[in-house]
Structure formats: structure tokens, C-alpha cells
Coordinates of all heavy atoms in Angstrom, one line a residue:
M1 N -11.3 14.0 21.8 CA -11.5 12.8 21.0 C -11.3 13.0 19.5 O -10.7 12.3 18.9 CB -12.9 12.2 21.2 CG -13.2 11.1 20.2 SD -13.8 9.7 21.1 CE -14.3 8.7 19.7
N2 N -11.8 14.3 19.1 CA -11.6 14.6 17.7 C -10.1 14.8 17.3 O -9.7 14.3 16.2 CB -12.4 15.9 17.3 CG -12.7 16.1 15.9 OD1 -12.6 15.1 15.1 ND2 -13.1 17.3 15.5
R3 N -9.3 15.3 18.1 CA -8.0 15.4 17.8 C -7.3 14.1 17.8 O -6.4 13.8 16.9 CB -7.3 16.3 18.9 CG -5.8 16.5 18.6 CD -5.2 17.4 19.6 NE -3.7 17.3 19.3 CZ -2.8 18.0 19.9 NH1 -3.1 18.9 20.8 NH2 -1.5 17.8 19.7
T4 N -7.6 13.2 18.6 CA -7.1 11.8 18.6 C -7.3 11.1 17.3 O -6.5 10.4 16.7 CB -7.6 11.0 19.9 OG1 -7.3 11.7 21.1 CG2 -7.0 9.6 19.9
I5 N -8.6 11.2 16.9 CA -9.0 10.6 15.6 C -8.2 11.2 14.5 O -7.7 10.5 13.6 CB -10.6 10.6 15.4 CG1 -11.3 10.0 16.4 CG2 -10.9 10.3 14.0 CD1 -12.7 10.1 16.5
R6 N -8.0 12.5 14.5 CA -7.2 13.1 13.3 C -5.9 12.6 13.4 O -5.2 12.2 12.3 CB -7.2 14.6 13.5 CG -8.4 15.2 12.8 CD -8.3 16.7 12.8 NE -8.6 17.3 14.0 CZ -8.1 18.3 14.7 NH1 -7.2 19.0 14.1 NH2 -8.5 18.7 15.9
I7 N -5.1 12.4 14.5 CA -3.8 11.9 14.7 C -3.8 10.5 14.1 O -2.9 10.2 13.4 CB -3.3 12.0 16.1 CG1 -3.1 13.5 16.4 CG2 -2.0 11.4 16.3 CD1 -2.9 13.8 17.8
I8 N -4.7 9.7 14.6 CA -4.7 8.3 14.1 C -5.0 8.1 12.7 O -4.3 7.3 12.0 CB -5.7 7.5 14.9 CG1 -5.4 7.4 16.5 CG2 -5.9 6.0 14.3 CD1 -6.3 6.8 17.4
K9 N -5.8 9.0 12.1 CA -6.1 9.0 10.7 C -4.9 9.2 9.9 O -4.5 8.7 8.9 CB -7.2 9.9 10.3 CG -8.6 9.4 10.3 CD -9.6 10.4 9.9 CE -9.3 11.2 8.8 NZ -10.3 12.2 8.5
L10 N -4.1 10.3 10.4 CA -2.8 10.8 9.7 C -1.8 9.5 9.9 O -1.1 9.3 8.8 CB -2.2 12.0 10.3 CG -3.0 13.3 10.0 CD1 -2.4 14.4 10.7 CD2 -2.9 13.5 8.5
L11 N -1.8 8.9 11.0 CA -0.9 7.7 11.2 C -1.2 6.7 10.1 O -0.3 6.1 9.4 CB -1.0 7.2 12.6 CG -0.1 6.0 12.9 CD1 1.4 6.5 12.8 CD2 -0.5 5.5 14.3
F12 N -2.6 6.3 9.9 CA -2.9 5.4 9.0 C -2.6 5.7 7.6 O -2.3 4.8 6.7 CB -4.3 4.9 9.2 CG -4.6 3.7 10.2 CD1 -4.5 4.0 11.6 CD2 -4.7 2.4 9.7 CE1 -4.7 2.9 12.4 CE2 -4.8 1.5 10.6 CZ -4.8 1.6 11.9
L13 N -2.8 7.0 7.3 CA -2.5 7.6 6.0 C -1.1 7.4 5.7 O -0.7 7.0 4.5 CB -3.0 9.0 5.9 CG -2.8 9.6 4.5 CD1 -3.7 8.9 3.4 CD2 -3.2 11.1 4.5
G14 N -0.2 7.6 6.7 CA 1.3 7.5 6.4 C 1.6 6.0 6.2 O 2.4 5.7 5.4
I15 N 1.0 5.2 7.1 CA 1.4 3.7 6.9 C 0.9 3.3 5.4 O 1.6 2.5 4.8 CB 0.5 3.0 8.0 CG1 1.2 3.2 9.3 CG2 0.5 1.4 7.6 CD1 0.5 2.6 10.5
A16 N -0.3 3.8 5.0 CA -0.9 3.3 3.7 C 0.1 3.8 2.6 O 0.4 3.2 1.6 CB -2.2 3.9 3.5
L17 N 0.6 5.1 2.7 CA 1.6 5.6 1.7 C 2.9 4.8 1.8 O 3.5 4.5 0.7 CB 1.8 7.1 2.0 CG 0.6 8.0 1.8 CD1 1.0 9.5 2.2 CD2 0.4 8.0 0.3
L18 N 3.4 4.5 3.0 CA 4.6 3.6 3.0 C 4.4 2.3 2.4 O 5.3 1.7 1.7 CB 5.0 3.5 4.4 CG 5.7 4.7 5.1 CD1 5.8 4.4 6.7 CD2 6.9 5.1 4.4
L19 N 3.3 1.7 2.6 CA 3.0 0.4 1.9 C 3.0 0.6 0.4 O 3.4 -0.3 -0.3 CB 1.5 -0.2 2.4 CG 1.7 -0.7 3.8 CD1 0.2 -1.2 4.2 CD2 2.5 -2.0 3.9
C20 N 2.4 1.6 -0.1 CA 2.4 1.9 -1.5 C 3.8 2.2 -2.2 O 4.0 1.6 -3.1 CB 1.5 3.1 -1.8 SG -0.3 2.7 -1.7
L21 N 4.6 2.8 -1.3 CA 6.0 3.0 -1.7 C 7.0 1.7 -1.6 O 7.8 1.7 -2.3 CB 6.6 4.2 -1.0 CG 6.0 5.6 -1.2 CD1 6.6 6.6 -0.3 CD2 6.4 5.9 -2.7
A22 N 6.5 0.9 -0.7 CA 7.3 -0.3 -0.5 C 7.2 -1.2 -1.8 O 8.3 -1.9 -2.0 CB 6.7 -1.1 0.7
V23 N 6.1 -1.2 -2.5 CA 6.0 -2.1 -3.7 C 7.2 -1.8 -4.7 O 7.9 -2.8 -5.1 CB 4.6 -2.2 -4.3 CG1 4.6 -2.9 -5.6 CG2 3.6 -2.7 -3.2
P24 N 7.3 -0.5 -5.2 CA 8.4 -0.4 -6.2 C 9.6 -0.5 -5.6 O 10.7 -0.9 -6.3 CB 8.1 1.0 -6.7 CG 7.1 1.6 -5.9 CD 6.4 0.6 -5.0
L25 N 9.9 -0.1 -4.4 CA 11.2 -0.1 -3.6 C 11.6 -1.6 -3.6 O 12.8 -1.9 -4.0 CB 11.2 0.4 -2.3 CG 12.4 0.6 -1.6 CD1 13.4 1.5 -2.2 CD2 12.2 1.0 -0.1
I26 N 10.7 -2.5 -3.2 CA 11.1 -3.9 -3.0 C 11.4 -4.5 -4.5 O 12.3 -5.2 -4.6 CB 10.0 -4.7 -2.4 CG1 10.0 -4.3 -0.9 CG2 10.2 -6.3 -2.6 CD1 8.7 -4.9 -0.1
G27 N 10.6 -4.1 -5.4 CA 10.9 -4.6 -6.8 C 12.1 -4.1 -7.4 O 12.9 -4.9 -7.9
L28 N 12.6 -2.9 -7.1 CA 13.9 -2.4 -7.7 C 14.9 -3.0 -6.9 O 16.0 -3.3 -7.6 CB 13.8 -0.8 -7.5 CG 12.8 -0.1 -8.5 CD1 12.8 1.3 -8.3 CD2 13.0 -0.5 -9.9
V29 N 14.9 -3.1 -5.6 CA 16.0 -3.6 -4.8 C 16.3 -5.1 -5.2 O 17.3 -5.7 -5.3 CB 15.7 -3.6 -3.3 CG1 16.8 -4.2 -2.5 CG2 15.9 -2.0 -3.0
S30 N 15.1 -5.9 -5.3 CA 15.2 -7.3 -5.6 C 15.8 -7.5 -7.0 O 16.6 -8.4 -7.2 CB 13.8 -7.9 -5.5 OG 13.9 -9.2 -5.9
T31 N 15.4 -6.7 -7.9 CA 15.9 -6.7 -9.3 C 17.4 -6.4 -9.3 O 18.1 -7.1 -9.9 CB 15.0 -5.7 -10.3 OG1 13.8 -6.0 -10.2 CG2 15.7 -5.8 -11.6
A32 N 17.9 -5.4 -8.6 CA 19.2 -5.1 -8.6 C 20.1 -6.2 -8.0 O 21.2 -6.4 -8.4 CB 19.4 -3.9 -7.7
Q33 N 19.4 -7.0 -7.0 CA 20.2 -8.1 -6.5 C 20.1 -9.4 -7.3 O 21.2 -10.1 -7.2 CB 19.7 -8.4 -5.0 CG 20.0 -7.3 -4.0 CD 19.4 -7.6 -2.7 OE1 18.7 -8.5 -2.5 NE2 19.8 -6.8 -1.7
H34 N 19.1 -9.7 -8.0 CA 18.8 -11.0 -8.5 C 18.8 -11.1 -10.0 O 18.7 -12.2 -10.7 CB 17.5 -11.7 -7.9 CG 17.7 -11.7 -6.5 ND1 18.3 -12.6 -5.8 CD2 17.0 -11.0 -5.5 CE1 18.2 -12.5 -4.5 NE2 17.4 -11.4 -4.3
W35 N 18.8 -10.0 -10.8 CA 18.5 -10.0 -12.3 C 19.8 -10.6 -12.9 O 20.9 -10.3 -12.6 CB 18.2 -8.6 -12.8 CG 18.1 -8.5 -14.3 CD1 17.0 -9.1 -14.9 CD2 18.9 -8.0 -15.2 NE1 17.1 -8.9 -16.3 CE2 18.3 -8.2 -16.5 CE3 20.2 -7.4 -15.2 CZ2 18.9 -7.8 -17.6 CZ3 20.6 -7.0 -16.3 CH2 20.1 -7.2 -17.6
Q36 N 19.5 -11.6 -13.8 CA 20.6 -12.2 -14.5 C 20.3 -12.3 -16.0 O 20.9 -12.9 -16.8 CB 20.8 -13.6 -14.0 CG 21.3 -13.6 -12.6 CD 21.4 -15.1 -12.1 OE1 21.0 -16.0 -12.8 NE2 22.1 -15.2 -10.9
G37 N 19.2 -11.6 -16.3 CA 18.9 -11.4 -17.8 C 17.9 -12.6 -18.3 O 17.5 -12.7 -19.4
I38 N 17.3 -13.3 -17.3 CA 16.4 -14.4 -17.6 C 15.3 -14.2 -16.7 O 15.4 -14.0 -15.6 CB 17.1 -15.7 -17.3 CG1 18.4 -15.9 -18.3 CG2 16.2 -16.8 -17.6 CD1 19.3 -17.1 -18.0
C39 N 14.1 -14.4 -17.4 CA 12.8 -14.4 -16.6 C 12.1 -15.7 -16.9 O 12.3 -16.5 -17.9 CB 11.9 -13.4 -17.2 SG 12.4 -11.7 -16.8
S40 N 11.4 -16.1 -15.8 CA 10.5 -17.5 -16.0 C 9.3 -17.1 -16.7 O 8.6 -16.1 -16.4 CB 10.2 -18.0 -14.6 OG 11.5 -18.3 -13.9
D41 N 8.9 -18.0 -17.6 CA 7.6 -17.9 -18.2 C 6.5 -18.6 -17.6 O 6.7 -19.3 -16.5 CB 7.7 -18.1 -19.7 CG 8.0 -19.6 -20.0 OD1 8.1 -20.3 -19.0 OD2 8.0 -20.0 -21.2
L42 N 5.2 -18.7 -18.0 CA 4.1 -19.3 -17.4 C 4.3 -20.9 -17.4 O 3.8 -21.6 -16.5 CB 2.8 -18.9 -18.0 CG 2.4 -17.5 -17.9 CD1 1.2 -17.1 -18.6 CD2 2.4 -17.2 -16.4
N43 N 5.1 -21.4 -18.3 CA 5.1 -22.9 -18.6 C 6.4 -23.4 -17.7 O 6.7 -24.6 -17.7 CB 5.3 -23.2 -20.0 CG 4.2 -22.8 -20.8 OD1 3.0 -22.9 -20.2 ND2 4.4 -22.4 -22.0
G44 N 7.0 -22.6 -17.0 CA 8.1 -23.0 -16.2 C 9.5 -22.9 -16.9 O 10.5 -23.2 -16.4
G45 N 9.5 -22.5 -18.3 CA 10.7 -22.2 -19.0 C 11.4 -20.9 -18.7 O 10.9 -20.1 -17.8
Q46 N 12.5 -20.6 -19.3 CA 13.2 -19.4 -19.0 C 13.4 -18.6 -20.4 O 13.6 -19.3 -21.4 CB 14.5 -19.7 -18.4 CG 14.4 -20.3 -17.1 CD 15.7 -20.5 -16.4 OE1 16.7 -20.6 -17.1 NE2 15.8 -20.7 -15.1
L47 N 13.1 -17.3 -20.4 CA 13.3 -16.6 -21.5 C 14.1 -15.4 -21.2 O 14.2 -14.8 -19.9 CB 11.9 -16.0 -21.9 CG 10.8 -17.0 -22.2 CD1 9.4 -16.2 -22.4 CD2 11.1 -17.6 -23.6
P48 N 14.8 -14.8 -22.2 CA 15.6 -13.7 -21.9 C 14.7 -12.4 -21.7 O 13.6 -12.4 -22.4 CB 16.5 -13.5 -23.2 CG 15.9 -14.4 -24.2 CD 15.0 -15.4 -23.5
C49 N 15.1 -11.6 -20.8 CA 14.2 -10.4 -20.5 C 15.1 -9.2 -20.1 O 16.4 -9.4 -19.7 CB 13.2 -10.6 -19.5 SG 13.9 -11.0 -17.8
T50 N 14.5 -8.0 -20.2 CA 15.4 -6.7 -19.9 C 15.3 -6.6 -18.3 O 14.5 -7.3 -17.6 CB 14.8 -5.5 -20.6 OG1 13.3 -5.3 -20.1 CG2 14.8 -5.8 -22.2
W51 N 16.0 -5.6 -17.9 CA 16.0 -5.3 -16.5 C 14.6 -4.8 -16.0 O 14.1 -5.2 -15.0 CB 17.1 -4.2 -16.3 CG 17.5 -4.1 -14.8 CD1 18.4 -4.8 -14.1 CD2 16.9 -3.1 -13.8 NE1 18.4 -4.2 -12.8 CE2 17.6 -3.3 -12.6 CE3 15.9 -2.0 -13.9 CZ2 17.2 -2.6 -11.5 CZ3 15.6 -1.4 -12.8 CH2 16.3 -1.5 -11.6
W52 N 13.9 -4.0 -16.8 CA 12.8 -3.5 -16.5 C 11.6 -4.5 -16.5 O 10.7 -4.5 -15.7 CB 12.4 -2.3 -17.4 CG 13.1 -1.1 -17.1 CD1 14.2 -0.6 -17.9 CD2 12.9 -0.2 -15.8 NE1 14.6 0.6 -17.1 CE2 14.0 0.8 -16.0 CE3 12.2 -0.3 -14.8 CZ2 14.0 1.7 -14.9 CZ3 12.3 0.7 -13.7 CH2 13.2 1.7 -13.9
Q53 N 11.7 -5.4 -17.3 CA 10.7 -6.6 -17.5 C 10.8 -7.4 -16.1 O 9.8 -7.8 -15.5 CB 11.0 -7.5 -18.7 CG 10.5 -6.9 -19.9 CD 10.9 -7.7 -21.1 OE1 11.9 -8.4 -21.0 NE2 10.1 -7.5 -22.1
Y54 N 12.0 -7.7 -15.7 CA 12.2 -8.4 -14.5 C 11.7 -7.6 -13.3 O 11.1 -8.1 -12.4 CB 13.7 -8.7 -14.4 CG 14.0 -9.7 -13.2 CD1 13.9 -11.1 -13.4 CD2 14.3 -9.2 -11.9 CE1 14.2 -12.0 -12.4 CE2 14.6 -10.2 -10.9 CZ 14.5 -11.5 -11.1 OH 14.8 -12.3 -10.1
A55 N 12.0 -6.3 -13.3 CA 11.6 -5.5 -12.1 C 10.0 -5.3 -12.1 O 9.4 -5.4 -11.0 CB 12.2 -4.0 -12.3
R56 N 9.4 -5.3 -13.3 CA 7.9 -5.4 -13.3 C 7.3 -6.5 -12.6 O 6.4 -6.5 -11.9 CB 7.5 -5.1 -14.7 CG 6.0 -4.8 -14.8 CD 5.5 -4.4 -16.2 NE 6.0 -5.6 -17.2 CZ 6.3 -5.5 -18.4 NH1 6.5 -4.2 -18.7 NH2 6.6 -6.5 -19.0
G57 N 8.0 -7.7 -13.0 CA 7.5 -9.0 -12.4 C 7.7 -9.1 -10.9 O 6.9 -9.5 -10.2
E58 N 8.9 -8.5 -10.5 CA 9.2 -8.5 -9.1 C 8.1 -7.6 -8.3 O 7.7 -7.9 -7.3 CB 10.6 -8.0 -8.8 CG 11.6 -8.9 -9.2 CD 11.6 -10.2 -8.4 OE1 11.7 -10.1 -7.2 OE2 11.5 -11.3 -8.9
M59 N 7.8 -6.4 -8.9 CA 6.8 -5.5 -8.4 C 5.4 -6.2 -8.3 O 4.7 -5.9 -7.3 CB 6.8 -4.2 -9.1 CG 8.0 -3.4 -9.0 SD 7.8 -1.9 -9.8 CE 9.6 -1.5 -10.2
F60 N 5.2 -6.9 -9.3 CA 3.8 -7.6 -9.4 C 3.7 -8.5 -8.1 O 2.7 -8.5 -7.6 CB 3.6 -8.4 -10.7 CG 2.4 -9.2 -10.7 CD1 1.2 -8.7 -11.0 CD2 2.6 -10.6 -10.4 CE1 0.1 -9.5 -10.9 CE2 1.5 -11.3 -10.5 CZ 0.2 -10.8 -10.8
W61 N 4.8 -9.3 -7.9 CA 4.6 -10.3 -6.8 C 4.6 -9.5 -5.5 O 4.0 -9.9 -4.5 CB 5.7 -11.3 -6.9 CG 5.5 -12.2 -8.1 CD1 6.2 -12.3 -9.2 CD2 4.4 -13.1 -8.2 NE1 5.7 -13.2 -10.1 CE2 4.5 -13.8 -9.5 CE3 3.3 -13.5 -7.4 CZ2 3.6 -14.6 -10.1 CZ3 2.3 -14.4 -8.0 CH2 2.5 -14.9 -9.2
A62 N 5.4 -8.5 -5.4 CA 5.4 -7.7 -4.1 C 4.0 -7.0 -3.9 O 3.5 -7.0 -2.7 CB 6.4 -6.6 -4.1
L63 N 3.4 -6.7 -4.9 CA 2.1 -6.1 -4.9 C 1.0 -7.1 -4.3 O 0.2 -6.9 -3.6 CB 1.6 -5.5 -6.2 CG 0.2 -4.8 -6.2 CD1 0.4 -3.5 -5.4 CD2 -0.2 -4.5 -7.6
M64 N 1.2 -8.3 -4.7 CA 0.3 -9.5 -4.3 C 0.4 -9.7 -2.8 O -0.6 -10.0 -2.2 CB 0.6 -10.8 -5.1 CG 0.2 -10.8 -6.6 SD -1.5 -10.5 -6.7 CE -1.5 -9.1 -7.8
V65 N 1.6 -9.4 -2.3 CA 1.8 -9.5 -0.9 C 1.2 -8.4 -0.2 O 0.5 -8.6 1.0 CB 3.3 -9.7 -0.5 CG1 3.6 -9.6 1.0 CG2 3.9 -11.0 -1.1
F66 N 1.4 -7.2 -0.6 CA 0.9 -6.1 0.1 C -0.5 -5.6 -0.1 O -1.0 -4.7 0.7 CB 1.9 -4.8 -0.3 CG 3.2 -4.8 0.4 CD1 4.3 -5.3 -0.2 CD2 3.3 -4.5 1.8 CE1 5.6 -5.4 0.4 CE2 4.6 -4.4 2.4 CZ 5.6 -4.9 1.6
I67 N -1.2 -6.1 -1.1 CA -2.6 -5.8 -1.3 C -3.4 -5.9 0.0 O -4.3 -5.1 0.3 CB -3.2 -6.4 -2.5 CG1 -2.8 -5.7 -3.8 CG2 -4.7 -6.5 -2.5 CD1 -3.2 -6.5 -5.1
P68 N -3.4 -7.1 0.6 CA -4.3 -7.3 1.9 C -4.0 -6.1 2.9 O -5.0 -5.6 3.6 CB -3.9 -8.6 2.4 CG -3.4 -9.3 1.2 CD -2.8 -8.3 0.3
F69 N -2.7 -5.8 3.1 CA -2.3 -4.8 4.1 C -2.9 -3.4 3.6 O -3.3 -2.7 4.5 CB -0.8 -4.8 4.3 CG -0.2 -6.0 4.8 CD1 0.6 -6.7 4.1 CD2 -0.6 -6.6 6.0 CE1 1.1 -8.0 4.5 CE2 -0.2 -7.8 6.5 CZ 0.8 -8.4 5.7
M70 N -2.7 -3.1 2.4 CA -3.3 -1.8 1.9 C -4.8 -1.7 2.1 O -5.3 -0.7 2.5 CB -2.8 -1.6 0.5 CG -1.3 -1.2 0.3 SD -1.1 -0.8 -1.3 CE -0.1 -2.3 -1.9
F71 N -5.3 -2.8 1.7 CA -6.9 -2.9 1.8 C -7.4 -2.7 3.3 O -8.2 -2.0 3.5 CB -7.4 -4.2 1.3 CG -8.9 -4.3 1.3 CD1 -9.6 -3.7 0.3 CD2 -9.5 -5.2 2.3 CE1 -11.1 -3.8 0.4 CE2 -10.8 -5.3 2.2 CZ -11.7 -4.6 1.4
V72 N -6.7 -3.3 4.2 CA -7.2 -3.3 5.6 C -6.8 -1.9 6.1 O -7.7 -1.4 6.8 CB -6.5 -4.4 6.5 CG1 -6.5 -4.2 7.9 CG2 -6.9 -5.8 6.1
T73 N -5.7 -1.4 5.8 CA -5.3 -0.1 6.2 C -6.3 1.0 5.6 O -6.7 2.0 6.4 CB -3.9 0.4 5.8 OG1 -3.0 -0.6 6.3 CG2 -3.4 1.8 6.3
S74 N -6.8 0.9 4.4 CA -7.7 1.8 3.8 C -9.1 1.7 4.4 O -9.7 2.6 4.6 CB -7.8 1.4 2.3 OG -6.6 1.7 1.7
L75 N -9.4 0.5 4.7 CA -10.7 0.3 5.4 C -10.6 0.9 6.8 O -11.7 1.5 7.1 CB -11.1 -1.2 5.5 CG -11.6 -1.9 4.3 CD1 -11.9 -3.4 4.6 CD2 -12.9 -1.2 3.9
A76 N -9.7 0.8 7.5 CA -9.5 1.4 8.8 C -9.6 2.9 8.8 O -10.1 3.6 9.6 CB -8.3 0.9 9.5
W77 N -8.8 3.4 7.7 CA -9.0 4.8 7.6 C -10.2 5.4 7.2 O -10.8 6.3 7.7 CB -7.9 5.2 6.4 CG -7.7 6.7 6.4 CD1 -6.8 7.4 7.0 CD2 -8.3 7.7 5.5 NE1 -6.9 8.8 6.6 CE2 -7.8 8.9 5.7 CE3 -9.3 7.5 4.5 CZ2 -8.3 10.0 5.1 CZ3 -9.7 8.5 3.9 CH2 -9.2 9.9 4.1
V78 N -11.1 4.7 6.3 CA -12.4 5.0 6.1 C -13.2 5.0 7.3 O -14.1 5.9 7.5 CB -12.9 4.3 4.9 CG1 -14.4 4.4 4.6 CG2 -12.2 4.6 3.5
G79 N -13.1 3.9 8.0 CA -13.9 3.7 9.2 C -13.5 5.0 10.3 O -14.5 5.4 10.9
M80 N -12.4 5.3 10.4 CA -12.2 6.4 11.3 C -12.6 7.7 10.8 O -13.0 8.5 11.5 CB -10.5 6.5 11.6 CG -10.0 5.3 12.4 SD -8.3 5.7 12.7 CE -7.6 4.9 11.2
A81 N -12.5 7.9 9.4 CA -13.2 9.0 8.9 C -14.7 9.2 9.2 O -15.2 10.2 9.4 CB -13.0 9.1 7.3
L82 N -15.3 8.0 9.1 CA -16.8 7.9 9.4 C -17.0 8.3 10.9 O -18.0 9.0 11.2 CB -17.3 6.6 9.0 CG -17.5 6.3 7.5 CD1 -18.0 4.9 7.3 CD2 -18.6 7.3 7.0
V83 N -16.2 7.7 11.7 CA -16.5 7.9 13.1 C -16.2 9.4 13.4 O -17.0 10.0 14.2 CB -15.4 7.1 14.0 CG1 -15.3 7.6 15.4 CG2 -15.9 5.6 14.0
Q84 N -15.2 10.0 12.8 CA -14.9 11.4 13.0 C -16.2 12.2 12.5 O -16.5 13.2 13.1 CB -13.7 11.8 12.3 CG -13.2 13.4 12.5 CD -12.0 13.6 11.8 OE1 -11.5 12.9 10.9 NE2 -11.4 14.7 12.2
F85 N -16.7 11.9 11.4 CA -17.8 12.7 10.9 C -19.1 12.6 11.7 O -19.7 13.5 12.0 CB -18.3 12.0 9.4 CG -19.4 12.7 8.8 CD1 -19.4 14.1 8.4 CD2 -20.6 12.0 8.8 CE1 -20.4 14.6 7.9 CE2 -21.7 12.6 8.2 CZ -21.7 13.9 7.7
I86 N -19.3 11.3 12.1 CA -20.3 11.0 13.1 C -20.3 11.8 14.4 O -21.2 12.6 14.9 CB -20.6 9.5 13.3 CG1 -21.0 8.8 12.2 CG2 -21.6 9.3 14.5 CD1 -21.1 7.3 12.1
V87 N -19.1 11.8 15.0 CA -18.8 12.6 16.2 C -19.0 14.1 16.0 O -19.6 14.8 16.8 CB -17.4 12.3 16.7 CG1 -17.0 13.2 17.8 CG2 -17.3 10.9 17.3
S88 N -18.5 14.7 14.8 CA -18.8 16.1 14.7 C -20.2 16.4 14.4 O -20.6 17.4 14.8 CB -17.9 16.5 13.3 OG -18.5 15.9 12.2
Q89 N -20.9 15.5 13.8 CA -22.4 15.8 13.6 C -23.1 15.7 15.1 O -24.0 16.6 15.2 CB -23.0 14.8 12.7 CG -22.6 14.8 11.3 CD -22.9 16.2 10.7 OE1 -23.9 16.7 10.9 NE2 -21.9 16.8 10.0
L90 N -22.7 14.8 15.9 CA -23.3 14.8 17.3 C -22.9 16.0 18.0 O -23.8 16.6 18.7 CB -22.8 13.6 18.0 CG -23.4 12.3 17.4 CD1 -22.8 11.0 18.1 CD2 -24.9 12.1 17.6
E91 N -21.7 16.5 17.9 CA -21.4 17.7 18.6 C -22.1 18.9 18.1 O -22.4 19.8 18.9 CB -19.9 18.0 18.3 CG -19.1 17.0 19.2 CD -17.5 17.2 19.0 OE1 -17.1 18.1 18.2 OE2 -16.7 16.5 19.7
K92 N -22.4 18.9 16.8 CA -23.2 20.1 16.2 C -24.7 20.0 16.8 O -25.3 21.0 16.9 CB -23.2 20.0 14.7 CG -21.9 20.5 14.1 CD -22.2 20.4 12.5 CE -20.8 20.7 11.9 NZ -20.9 20.7 10.3
R93 N -25.2 18.9 16.9 CA -26.5 18.7 17.4 C -26.6 19.2 18.8 O -27.6 19.7 19.3 CB -27.1 17.4 17.3 CG -27.4 17.0 15.7 CD -28.0 15.7 15.7 NE -28.3 15.3 14.3 CZ -29.1 14.3 13.9 NH1 -29.6 13.5 14.8 NH2 -29.3 14.1 12.8
K94 N -25.6 18.9 19.7 CA -25.7 19.2 21.0 C -25.6 20.7 21.3 O -26.2 21.3 22.2 CB -24.4 18.7 21.7 CG -24.6 17.2 22.0 CD -23.4 16.7 22.8 CE -23.5 15.2 23.0 NZ -22.3 14.6 23.7
K95 N -25.0 21.4 20.3 CA -24.9 22.9 20.4 C -26.2 23.5 19.8 O -27.0 24.1 20.2 CB -23.8 23.5 19.6 CG -22.4 23.2 20.0 CD -21.4 23.8 19.1 CE -19.9 23.2 19.7 NZ -18.9 23.8 18.8

């Protein structure tokens, strides 16, 4: 059981890292496809902006989409770490 938990923890850690890397990747790809030198402001108007300002905005909105997934994955990883710790403590008590 301990090995299974370690494998699942590594899997969730890998998924969390992929989710973290997805945010800048999505922002950069979206910027490369859609940037025209104009950004929208808070009032609905349009302002000239640099490529990096546009990319930062795209990454911000991608982050808003991925935060719940990263949060749930992190909670699952912490939960599995606790289960692994409890199982190891129970095994120590049996010996």
C-alpha cells in the first residue's frame, strides 16, 4: 500500500507541475496568435500595449481558470501525504 501511495503522490505532483506550466504556456501561445498591439482597459476601451503586457493579461486569465484545479490537486496531494504518514506510523506501532 505504501508503494501505491507514493506512486499516486508522484502522479499528482506531476499533474500539479503540468498545471503550473500550462499557465505561462497558454498565455504565450495565445499572445503569439492574437496580439495586435491593443489591450482592453477596465472601462471597455482600448489602449496600446506591448507584447509582454498583453501576455501578462492572458496569463492572468489563464491563471483564473487553473487555480481551482491546482487547489484541488494540491489538497489531494496533501491528503495522500497524510495517509502515507498515518500508515507508516501504524506500521511502526505494529513492530
